[in-house]
Each structure stands twice: as C-alpha cells, then as structure tokens.
Amino acid sequence: MRRKITNLGIISLILLSIAPASLVNAHGERSQEPFLRMLSVQWYDTKWSTDKVAVNEEVVLSGKFHLHTGWPEAIAKPDVAFMHVYVPGPVFVRKGVWVNGKPMVRSASYEIGRDYEYKIVMKARRPGMHHLHPMLNVKDGGPNAGPGNWVEITGDAADFTNPVTTLTGETVDLETWGWSRVRNWHILWALLGGFWLVWWLRRPLLAGRNILLRQGREDELITPMDRKVGMGLGILTLALIFYGYFSTIDKFPITVPLQAGLMELNPLPVDEDVVDVELQEAHYDIPGRSVRMTVNVTNGATSPVRLGEFATASIRWLNAGVAPDVGPYPQDLIALNGLEVDSDTPIQPGETRTLNIVATDAAWETERLALLIYDPDSRFGGMLFFYDENGKRHKQTFGGPLIPTFTAI
Amino acid sequence: MRTVAPGVDSYAEAYRVHRAFDYILVFIFITLLTGIHHLHAMLSVGDWTFWTDWKDRRWWLFVIPLSSLVFPVVGQYILWQHCRVPFGATLMVVCLLLGQWIDRVNNFAGWVYYPLNFVWPGTLLPSAIILDLVLMFTNSYVLTAVLGAWSWGILFYPSQWYMLGAFHLPVDYHGVLMSIADVQGFEYIRTGTPEYIRIIEKGTLRTFGQDVTPVSAFFCAFACILVYFVFNQFAKLVASVKFIKGRI
C-alpha cells in the first residue's frame, strides 16, 4: 500500500512538473469586488498616448474619473488617496503625475461626487509587454484600478538612464546615484566585522572554551592581545563613524529631509448643464449576461440629447450610431453594440422620459461583475453619457439596487 | 555492564574534533540565523529597511536599532555566558546583512528590477562591534546595557549618513521640493505601496525645530537600554539545558 502511494505521488509530481503553465496576464484587477468597482471610482476618457515605445521613451496615460456619490459604506472615504498606476513594478518609471493640472507627487484629499482629470507620464525602462492602468489608492480602502492596456517596450534595458537635476546644480542618474558609497561603506564594515569574527574563529570556539570556563579558567579565554585588538577595533570603529558622518556633511552640505504630508487639490468645476438620471429599477439577467435598467431622464441641457453610452467598472456599452468614435480602447472592455434603448429618439430640453435600457455583453461575466450577487452591498452604479446632435457630451452618474434574475427572460 | 570508550586517542585528535564541531555549529547557526534574523527584520521593520524614501530622521533611526537589537542581545548572552566569545552581536548582524543582501540582489533587483541604490539596507555593524567590545571589556551585562546598548542606538544614524546623505539632496520636482530619495520612491513604482503608507516624519516631536534627529537618536538609545535588559533576561531564561534535563 505504501509503495502504491509513493508511486502515485511520484507520478503526480512528474505530471505536475511537465504540465504547461499558462501565462499570467494583468494583475488581478478583476478580483476586486464588483460593488467596489461600480460604486467608487468611475474612470472615463482614459487614453494611452501609444502602445509601443522604446526604452527611454515616454507614454502618457490620461483621463478622468468621477467619485461616485453612492460610495459604499464598506470602504473608507477618499479623504487620503494617492493617484497611482497599476504596472508590474518599475518596468516604467513615473516621471510625473498631474491631477487637475497640479503636480501630485503625494497623497491628497478627494471629494466624493466630483470629477478629476489626470495625466501620468511614464518612461519606459524594461522591455516586454506590460499592462498599464491608472489607479486610485484610498487609505484604509485599498486600490481601485482603471482600465488597463498593453504597452510594449522595445530595446535594451541597459540603455536606460534616469537623469535628475538637483537644486545644488548636479545632474545625477537615479539608476546609479549613491550606489558606490553604499557599496563601499557596506564592504568596509563587512571587512571589519569579518575580521572580528575570524579573530575568534581561528581558535577553538565553543566546546573547548565552555570546558575551560566551567573549570574556572576564564582568564585564559580573553588574552591581553585580544584586548589590544579589541581596543584598536573600537577606536577604528568610532573614528570611521565620525569620518563617515562629517565627511558626508562636508561633501553634501545642503540636504533636505524626506518630504511628507497631504497635497492640496480642488476638484473640477461642476458642469451646470446636466441631464438628470434617476434609476427606477434594475435587474441582472444572469443567463443573458445583461443588465436591464429603467431610468427617468430629465434633459436639463439646452439641446436635444440621446443616450450614447453606459459605463461602469471601466467597461463601456455603446449605443451604435450615437456614441462618437471611442478611439483606441482595450477591446475586452468595450461592447460596441452592447447598449439597447427602447426609446431612442432625442430627448428634448426640459423633457422627462422613462428609458428602458439593456446593457448586454459577456464582459459582465468575464470581468466578474456578475459576482455582484455575492457582494455584501448588492447595488450597482455607473455613468450614462448623452450626446446632442453636435456631439456635445453630457454625463451623469446613477446607481441603486440590482436584483438578480436567475431564470432566462 | 556498560563500558565507555574514549572517542579520541590523543590531544591532537581531540582538538580536531572540537574544531570540526565548531565549524559544523557555526555553519548551521549562520545559515539559520541568516534566515531567521532577516525574516524578523522584514516582518517587524521591513519597509524601513527596504527603501531609501522610508529612511527618515524620526522613525527609521528609532525602529531599526530597537527592533534589530533583539537577536544580538540573545546571541551575545549565549556566546559570552557559555563560551566567553565576544562576537555575538557582530555575528547576528553579519547574518542579518547576509540575508538582506541576498534578498536585495536576487529579489528586489534581480526579480523585480529595482535599482540597488533604492533598496539598500542600513548597516548595524558599527553598533554591533561597539556592543561586543563593551561586553568584552566590562564583563558586565548591566554596563553593556547602559553603555553598549545606548551606543547601539545613538551611533546608528551617524554610521548611516555616509550612505544616506547623497539621497537627501534637494530637487525641484515639477514645482514641488523633494529629496532624491523621495523622487526615487515616486518614480520607481511600488504597485502595492501607495505613498500614504509611508510612516515617516509623523509625530508630535516638533519642539526642537529642525534638530529632530538627535532627539530621536537619544530616545532610541534609551529605549535600547530597556530592550537590552528585557532580552538579556529572556536569553537567560531560555538559553538553558534545564528544559531537557533528565532526557539526555
């Protein structure tokens, strides 16, 4: 019996070791709970300036986000949040982030119900295909990643340089700056520490000394030479510490402490010319992979509008013929004909109309938004984009309860 | 009737056996302690050891010496108490540094491409040498706690400035004043580490204006005295054969 189990174990191990491993793509943004993705940060107008760059070239990631008024109670409010990017480590370096035109190198306080516009400049560092997302990290709330797109970096990583000019007038390469001082200092101390270890290791160390100690012959264990060497090492150690400290002050007389604290940030102005949306009811048709919404729309704009797009969790359902060209956008996050509206004629200024909207796409399943039925807060939300005949856009966020339908409609 | 035969036939052979025993134990201890001490540092004060933009003048110089003193105190006690070998602290710090550099070179730089000048650890070897020497010269745990542990804490910051100073040059970064270390932290992306996670320069220690470094260092030094006493007694408690008496 034992042999059988052993053989089975060996065979299993061999099979596991030769089984093909699938490539891991992206970084788990789909694993975030749907209610969190649909009711917190609404990303829109996301653009990548290019999808292919050489090492040392830059990609600009830009767009906007709206902080949903239905922000879940389960996560902390964005009183402290950091405009971040979601990439697999420093394959790019981030050369600058601007939010509403202000440089945003640290965290700031963001206001729920308001919009923010960002621009992130990334410089290519390591060749490969990398998924690049905008991301907003909320303190005590966690990350919220926007849409991700693949960007290919070509060239040789060894060519990468990252110069920065200091206020003291030096231009330094952040890839290597200060490294020789770190390396040399560590080597110096490793030599001294190693010397002290070897000084004792060259003689009987443990058992022999323990025996002598127990025999009361302690005086034989620390010799006068040990004391002299110890004294010399102590003086050298202190001298090197003081030399290192004062020579560095001499070399770099002007330094500043690490910078901390929140940055100031104001949201974008509120658009007065709005189309109001009120959700009446919403059902998620699980077999049909579609959400059916009934909304009351009041056109507060000065021109007739039609519904062109529903967006949530970075996925876009478009009403073909109304929404303008969306430009380059990740194909797996867009449903070009995924939005149906029962009353698709223009809504006149001042008119209130009830629309029955169906947003259908496999993305509900593939992007794991269908898992909303397992969430503690079974509400959904999103943004509706209306367009007038001149292409002017009016956006409105909305949200509310979502009831699952488990049988085919 | 049991008979006991000597395992060695001469003093020379006994010496060789002792040395072989030493080398085997030293190898085992260094391997184990490299892993354990490094793990302890990562779990207790990891980010402060990892990144230059966490190495501040308020928390870094306080938490690193304090947390990293635990193993040296215990190692020092065991080696001094039972063998009168005065390198326990140095050995522990060498093990720590060995683990840290294996980690930085292979994981941080080799695996996820951070430049080494962003992820270097500080060195506690100057402090450890002084701690060992104080014990050797005084042969007193009380004096080693008061003088040695105090020196361990107070010497930490000046013994790092040779490395750290270069990273505190000021930079005008898109109209915001930053140090080079801040710029490194901003540019070399830590996807799972947003900026607000940094525990730096936080606290109410504002009375002394710009001179917060010596205040933090002195506070750390006094706290190190306490840590030394506590873990010296801990070592005394556990470094004993009383737990296995009667079983061997």
Side-chain angles (χ1 to χ4, degrees):
Chain A
M1 184 62 183
R2 183 177 289 179
R3 179 171 288 181
K4 276 184 183 172
I5 293 172
T6 308
N7 290 342
L8 197 63
I10 292 170
I11 291 167
S12 304
L13 203 64
I14 292 169
L15 288 174
L16 275 175
S17 64
I18 60 173
S22 62
L23 188 66
V24 176
N25 289 326
H27 355 85
E29 62 269 23
R30 293 172 188 166
S31 65
Q32 290 185 319
E33 289 173 297
F35 81 105
L36 190 154
R37 284 186 281 159
M38 291 196 285
L39 285 171
S40 54
V41 186
Q42 297 288 339
W43 302 91
Y44 63 102
D45 290 352
T46 313
K47 291 186 180 69
W48 296 258
S49 63
T50 178
D51 58 5
K52 188 172 183 179
V53 284
V55 166
N56 285 317
E57 290 180 350
E58 290 182 345
V59 183
V60 178
L61 175 59
S62 60
K64 295 177 182 172
F65 60 87
H66 176 85
L67 300 180
H68 202 287
T69 45
W71 194 274
E73 281 298 312
I75 57 172
K77 303 283 187 292
D79 297 331
V80 177
F82 181 60
M83 187 66 223
H84 206 359
V85 284
Y86 211 14
V87 284
V91 292
F92 294 91
V93 292
R94 174 174 40 202
K95 296 305 291 183
V97 174
W98 290 263
V99 178
N100 294 351
K102 294 188 74 171
M104 202 50 55
V105 295
R106 292 196 299 274
S107 305
S109 184
Y110 291 78
E111 210 175 305
I112 286 176
R114 302 299 292 271
D115 291 71
Y116 296 87
E117 183 170 19
Y118 62 88
K119 181 177 118 176
I120 304 170
V121 178
M122 308 290 286
K123 185 176 177 183
R125 183 167 178 258
R126 301 287 307 190
M129 289 289 287
H130 307 298
H131 217 208
L132 177 61
H133 305 246
M135 180 164 69
L136 188 74
N137 284 73
V138 177
K139 188 178 182 185
D140 302 326
N144 188 299
N149 203 15
W150 292 102
V151 178
E152 182 182 3
I153 299 178
T154 59
D156 187 349
D159 296 335
F160 181 76
T161 59
N162 195 10
V164 166
T165 301
T166 70
L167 283 172
T168 51
E170 294 168 88
T171 298
V172 305
D173 186 354
L174 285 189
E175 290 285 295
T176 54
W177 172 247
W179 168 241
S180 60
R181 293 176 71 86
V182 171
R183 182 195 58 207
N184 295 344
W185 197 243
H186 268 279
I187 288 174
L188 175 68
W189 288 106
L191 288 174
L192 282 179
F195 164 77
W196 188 235
L197 295 184
V198 170
W199 179 258
W200 296 97
L201 282 169
R202 67 198 170 90
R203 284 176 277 173
L205 189 69
L206 301 173
R209 294 176 71 89
N210 181 260
I211 291 167
L212 286 179
L213 188 61
R214 283 192 287 170
Q215 289 173 350
R217 295 158 64 186
E218 183 178 352
D219 293 345
E220 296 174 36
L221 296 176
I222 308 288
T223 66
M225 180 55 82
D226 292 335
R227 292 179 184 280
K228 280 181 193 167
V229 169
M231 184 61 74
L233 182 65
I235 292 169
L236 184 61
T237 298
L238 293 175
L240 280 173
I241 292 172
F242 286 107
Y243 164 76
Y245 183 69
F246 288 108
S247 69
T248 305
I249 288 177
D250 211 33
K251 187 171 175 61
F252 305 115
I254 300 171
T255 57
V256 291
L258 295 181
Q259 301 295 298
L262 285 182
M263 305 196 75
E264 290 178 2
L265 178 63
N266 294 317
L268 290 177
V270 177
D271 185 2
E272 298 293 340
D273 186 17
V274 293
V275 176
D276 283 334
V277 175
E278 188 184 350
L279 179 71
Q280 298 301 304
E281 61 176 17
H283 296 269
Y284 177 46
D285 169 12
I286 293 174
R289 291 172 167 178
S290 62
V291 166
R292 299 165 188 277
M293 302 165 258
T294 302
V295 295
N296 286 344
V297 177
T298 301
N299 183 1
T302 54
S303 53
V305 296
R306 292 172 67 195
L307 177 61
E309 179 180 340
F310 163 61
T312 189
S314 302
I315 307 165
R316 304 169 67 181
W317 285 263
L318 302 180
N319 186 6
V322 179
D325 180 21
V326 293
Y329 197 79
Q331 289 303 304
D332 53 338
L333 297 178
I334 199 156
L336 285 172
N337 296 301
L339 196 66
E340 294 173 40
V341 186
D342 68 334
S343 175
D344 204 13
T345 54
I347 304 168
Q348 299 301 315
E351 179 188 353
T352 297
R353 187 184 300 179
T354 300
L355 299 183
N356 291 303
I357 305 166
V358 182
T360 306
D361 196 75
W364 287 108
E365 195 70 34
T366 57
E367 292 297 314
R368 303 178 71 177
L369 295 179
L371 296 175
L372 181 74
I373 57 173
Y374 301 112
D375 280 357
D377 188 351
S378 294
R379 291 180 301 138
F380 87 120
M383 302 182 84
L384 291 177
F385 295 96
F386 297 87
Y387 295 87
D388 69 12
E389 57 191 7
N390 297 317
K392 186 179 180 186
R393 187 179 69 181
H394 305 274
K395 65 173 176 54
Q396 187 56 271
T397 54
F398 74 107
L402 184 68
I403 309 297
T405 305
F406 296 99
T407 52
I409 295 174
Chain B
M1 180 181 158
R2 289 174 62 192
T3 56
V4 178
V8 293
D9 298 326
S10 65
Y11 282 114
E13 195 177 349
Y15 182 83
R16 281 200 301 275
V17 170
H18 275 169
R19 295 303 285 156
F21 184 64
D22 284 346
Y23 289 135
I24 290 168
L25 281 184
V26 166
F27 175 77
I28 291 171
F29 283 150
I30 287 181
T31 308
L32 278 176
L33 290 170
T34 296
I36 296 169
H37 200 183
H38 175 226
L39 189 66
H40 162 81
M42 280 203 300
L43 293 178
S44 59
V45 289
D47 283 305
W48 281 288
T49 73
F50 297 154
W51 320 105
T52 53
D53 68 334
W54 277 67
K55 291 176 169 52
D56 73 331
R57 37 175 213 166
R58 192 174 293 260
W59 286 97
W60 175 61
L61 77 167
F62 176 72
V63 298
I64 294 287
L66 210 61
S67 165
S68 305
L69 184 55
V70 172
F71 275 67
V73 174
V74 175
Q76 200 179 48
Y77 176 85
I78 293 170
L79 285 173
W80 183 255
Q81 187 67 26
H82 298 294
C83 304
R84 286 294 186 271
V85 175
F87 67 39
T90 306
L91 175 68
M92 291 294 180
V93 172
V94 165
C95 290
L96 173 64
L97 284 168
L98 192 61
Q100 286 180 325
W101 277 115
I102 289 171
D103 180 39
R104 304 310 151 85
V105 171
N106 289 290
N107 299 338
F108 283 74
W111 196 9
V112 279
Y113 317 127
Y114 288 108
L116 281 170
N117 67 345
F118 179 40
V119 297
W120 51 271
T123 177
L124 279 154
L125 271 173
S127 300
I129 290 171
I130 296 295
L131 189 66
D132 279 336
L133 292 175
V134 171
L135 181 61
M136 186 182 85
F137 282 112
T138 63
N139 192 15
S140 160
Y141 293 122
V142 173
L143 287 176
T144 306
V146 174
L147 299 175
W150 187 85
S151 302
W152 169 279
I154 205 81
L155 290 175
F156 177 69
Y157 196 81
S159 60
Q160 314 304 311
W161 192 244
Y162 185 85
M163 299 183 284
L164 188 62
F167 298 94
H168 280 245
L169 297 186
V171 176
D172 176 353
Y173 199 76
H174 306 304
V176 180
L177 178 68
M178 296 172 82
S179 68
I180 284 183
D182 290 314
V183 177
Q184 284 181 303
F186 178 75
E187 293 201 348
Y188 292 92
I189 296 158
R190 292 160 291 191
T191 314
T193 309
E195 182 273 337
Y196 54 72
I197 281 181
R198 281 198 303 170
I199 303 173
I200 59 155
E201 296 291 336
K202 287 178 182 168
T204 54
L205 197 64
R206 304 287 168 192
T207 313
F208 296 89
Q210 298 168 330
D211 300 321
V212 65
T213 309
V215 180
S216 294
F218 271 90
F219 181 53
C220 172
F222 287 112
C224 283
I225 295 175
L226 181 67
V227 169
Y228 192 96
F229 275 121
V230 170
F231 283 92
N232 179 266
Q233 291 303 305
F234 175 76
K236 191 175 177 181
L237 181 73
V238 300
S240 164
V241 294
K242 66 186 175 190
F243 303 110
I244 53 174
K245 261 184 182 169
R247 300 185 186 181
I248 54 174

